[in-house]
Amino acid sequence: MRRRFAVPSVPHRPARRAIRAAGHAAALALAGPAFAAADPQGSGPLLAALAWVQGTLLGNVATAVAVIAVAMVGFMMLTGRLNWRFGATVVLGCFILFGSAAIVTGIRGAAIAAGQ
């Protein structure tokens, strides 16, 4: 008799990609104001688009979506329907997304202090 091996499905891969893409977009959006002094001519529309992305990712709608996501993930973790590691990843992603300005400020401060 031939054995069949179950291939574990990874339903969380699209969610990880979405979280990673949101993190990259937030980093790009927050990098715009940091380099405002060295803006090349004609970069106004690009900076306006990045400012819109930043406003969208850190605005009221994003905050409400993050609260709902954390509540749903917490409920699923408590009922045993979701792995605790993935749940912690979602919560950590929300902290990184909304705390990205403070993280960038700390990294820039450390880089400036190391360069002196």
Side-chain angles (χ1 to χ4, degrees), residues 2-111:
R2 190 171 158 180
R3 285 189 173 182
R4 287 188 169 178
F5 293 99
V7 177
S9 63
V10 183
H12 311 301
R13 191 163 293 180
R16 288 182 186 165
R17 287 182 186 154
I19 292 170
R20 190 175 303 137
H24 290 303
L28 287 174
L30 292 174
F35 300 109
D39 291 340
Q41 188 175 7
S43 66
L46 181 61
L47 290 177
L50 289 175
W52 177 82
V53 170
Q54 179 183 8
T56 303
L57 289 176
L58 300 176
N60 293 334
V61 174
T63 304
V65 169
V67 167
I68 292 170
V70 169
M72 289 176 55
V73 166
F75 179 74
M76 291 178 71
M77 285 177 6
L78 289 174
T79 58
R81 296 179 184 172
L82 188 65
N83 186 358
W84 282 84
R85 179 179 281 177
F86 179 70
T89 304
V90 170
V91 174
L92 181 67
C94 289
F95 280 124
I96 290 173
L97 180 64
F98 291 109
S100 57
I103 293 170
V104 169
T105 303
I107 291 172
R108 288 187 64 203

